[in-house]
Amino acid sequence: DIDLLIEIREGGECTWIPTTDVEFNCSGLEGYWTTREFDWVIYASHESSITFAGQWLLEELKANWPNWRDCIYRSPFEEDHA
């Protein structure tokens, strides 16, 4: 289980935060969250998007979020490859 995250904000602030207190949002400053191992990351941008990275995290999201494909950003300039 993951109980503690590293929160890194755009301004350079880096703090440890319990998972019970974390809010994955931009809050004016872009944010990154991960653990000491840095084997995954969640990123919240000023453009109101949230990005997930890391093999096990992506596998868990796909397994537990049936319509995850509906939330992938598609550029209006790219062809639909769904």
Side-chain angles (χ1 to χ4, degrees):
D1 290 347
I2 299 171
D3 298 320
L4 200 59
L5 298 179
I6 302 168
E7 179 180 74
I8 305 166
R9 287 293 178 168
E10 181 179 11
E13 182 180 343
C14 180
T15 58
W16 289 96
I17 185 168
T19 54
T20 54
D21 296 340
V22 71
E23 292 185 28
F24 299 109
N25 61 37
C26 182
S27 75
L29 296 174
E30 296 189 1
Y32 300 85
W33 296 267
T34 189
T35 59
R36 181 183 310 270
E37 291 80 19
F38 281 91
D39 60 343
W40 61 271
V41 66
I42 298 174
Y43 164 63
S45 82
H46 69 277
E47 297 166 333
S48 300
S49 67
I50 297 181
T51 303
F52 302 93
Q55 188 67 38
W56 77 266
L57 179 58
L58 295 175
E59 289 173 3
E60 286 293 319
L61 281 170
K62 290 176 180 180
N64 292 287
W65 188 5
N67 65 332
W68 63 270
R69 283 188 175 90
D70 297 340
C71 297
I72 294 177
Y73 173 76
R74 303 269 188 233
S75 167
F77 305 107
E78 72 180 71
E79 295 179 30
D80 185 9
H81 298 286

